[in-house]
Amino acid sequence: MTMDTLETKVVEPALPARPSDAWRHLSIGAMSRAAVLVALVIVGQAIAPSFLSLANIHVILLAVAAIGIMAYGMTLVVITGEIDLSIAGIAILSCVAGGLMIPTGSATLVIGATLLTGLVVGLVNGVLVAALGIPSLIATLGMLGISRALANIASGGQALYPEAITAYLWLGRGNIAGIPVPVVLLIVLGAAAIALTKYSIFGRELYATGGNVRAAALSGINVVGIRTTVFIISGACASLAGMLESARLSYINPAGLEGMELSVLAVTVLGGAALAGGSGSIAGTLVAALIIGIVNNLLNQFGVSIYLQQVVTAAVILAVVLPGMRQRGIAK
């Protein structure tokens, strides 16, 4: 056996599949999401004539903007076969870090400190998971607790009020061509993330890493770099989402966003991302966020209790996710 033959046998199994290959098994799930979304819109308009009014559409989109942006980052992490449960903690710590800059009166310092904190904590997560080999569930769960504790320590457990920083408030309350800024960011970042995952080398390497990390490494992909990068992006998305929410409310609560990480994870899974890695899409995540937003909006309009809302939302998630899971099981 020659060395060339040996090299061919080692390299061939390591060639990464394209994202389209990973998505092929999600066709039923994708159709389920699209069907549920269309059905919800039709039913919503039928039972609530004001459902498709511009004002209500703004309400729905504003409600899902923060969770959708967080879910973009979470989707990238899950595609690599990891998980980030620290996102709510990162969002709160980032906002508190920015809030501590409020006395300077500088919007640049407030916004910069917020985003930088998210990037740094995301980098720490990436190092812990990708470089040190700590399971992401453990590493990010620990970081969730650390981030929340640091946020309370830094703020003294007191709320911070950014009403004096008009540029900061504009991020949560402003409009661009009549469209709320958070919604614009949701759309723009979604388009950028779709382009990144579908049409870039990074996107192909992302799916390859989640599909088979050993094969990806043998094919020359820097799997440590890929995993670290997605955690950095997730941290940035979390800090941005936290900033949008606090700007909209003009209120930074160091104890806020309780349980948000689970809601984001639910949207990510509903969007078609498999926790085992190797599959998922940003478009699916966006559709999933809209489904949850519409369901909650309709339930709120009819005064349904928050507890029953959770039951209905869980039922919708199961109805959409189970067909895709069944198809994947058959495909195996």
Side-chain angles (χ1 to χ4, degrees):
M1 182 182 293
T2 66
M3 183 60 68
D4 292 338
T5 304
L6 178 61
E7 288 179 355
T8 301
K9 287 188 176 182
V10 171
V11 173
E12 279 186 349
L15 291 176
R18 292 184 180 277
S20 58
D21 296 332
W23 292 347
R24 193 170 295 144
H25 299 300
L26 297 178
S27 57
I28 290 182
M31 289 188 291
S32 297
R33 287 188 292 275
V36 169
L37 182 62
V38 172
L40 285 172
V41 171
I42 294 174
V43 171
Q45 182 60 24
I47 63 179
S50 62
F51 176 75
L52 288 179
S53 66
L54 187 59
N56 193 54
I57 291 174
H58 277 187
V59 169
I60 294 173
L61 292 177
L62 279 173
V64 304
I67 194 172
I69 290 173
M70 279 189 180
Y72 290 160
M74 177 74 87
T75 299
L76 298 182
V77 172
V78 171
I79 288 173
T80 65
E82 305 294 348
I83 192 171
D84 187 358
L85 295 180
S86 66
I87 49 176
I90 294 176
I92 291 300
L93 179 59
S94 298
C95 289
V96 168
L100 295 177
M101 298 293 108
I102 291 175
T104 67
S106 170
T108 301
L109 286 178
V110 174
I111 296 173
T114 302
L115 296 177
L116 181 60
T117 301
L119 290 170
V120 170
V121 180
L123 173 61
V124 173
N125 277 338
V127 171
L128 291 174
V129 175
L132 299 182
I134 301 174
S136 56
L137 177 65
I138 297 173
T140 59
L141 188 59
M143 186 58 70
L144 171 64
I146 292 172
S147 297
R148 286 195 174 277
L150 290 177
N152 278 286
I153 292 170
S155 64
Q158 301 298 313
L160 302 170
Y161 300 91
E163 67 273 1
I165 312 298
T166 54
Y168 185 93
L169 296 182
W170 178 81
L171 291 172
R173 301 179 176 184
N175 294 277
I176 298 177
I179 304 174
V181 173
V183 177
V184 172
L185 290 173
L186 177 70
I187 296 170
V188 171
L189 292 177
I194 289 173
L196 180 68
T197 54
K198 291 187 67 175
Y199 305 113
S200 72
I201 295 174
F202 175 84
R204 185 176 182 181
E205 294 180 344
L206 180 75
Y207 284 93
T209 299
N212 188 325
V213 64
R214 186 172 182 275
L218 287 173
S219 68
I221 294 175
N222 182 1
V223 295
V224 172
I226 292 292
R227 284 176 164 174
T228 302
T229 299
V230 295
F231 277 105
I232 293 174
I233 294 174
S234 181
C237 289
S239 62
L240 176 59
M243 183 164 56
L244 295 178
E245 277 295 285
S246 61
R248 184 173 66 87
L249 300 172
S250 187
Y251 174 72
I252 299 173
N253 180 8
L257 301 183
E258 193 70 36
M260 175 69 86
E261 61 278 352
L262 298 180
S263 298
V264 172
L265 182 59
V267 167
T268 303
V269 174
L270 175 60
L275 295 179
S279 65
S281 72
I282 297 297
T285 297
L286 177 58
V287 171
L290 291 174
I291 288 173
I292 298 300
I294 290 174
V295 169
N296 289 337
N297 180 266
L298 288 173
L299 295 176
N300 283 330
Q301 288 195 43
F302 288 95
V304 177
S305 73
I306 185 65
Y307 305 109
L308 186 55
Q309 285 187 33
Q310 294 172 353
V311 174
V312 174
T313 301
V316 171
I317 291 175
L318 288 174
V320 176
V321 170
L322 285 178
M325 291 181 65
R326 185 170 179 272
Q327 182 193 25
R328 268 178 257 169
I330 293 174
K332 289 180 181 180

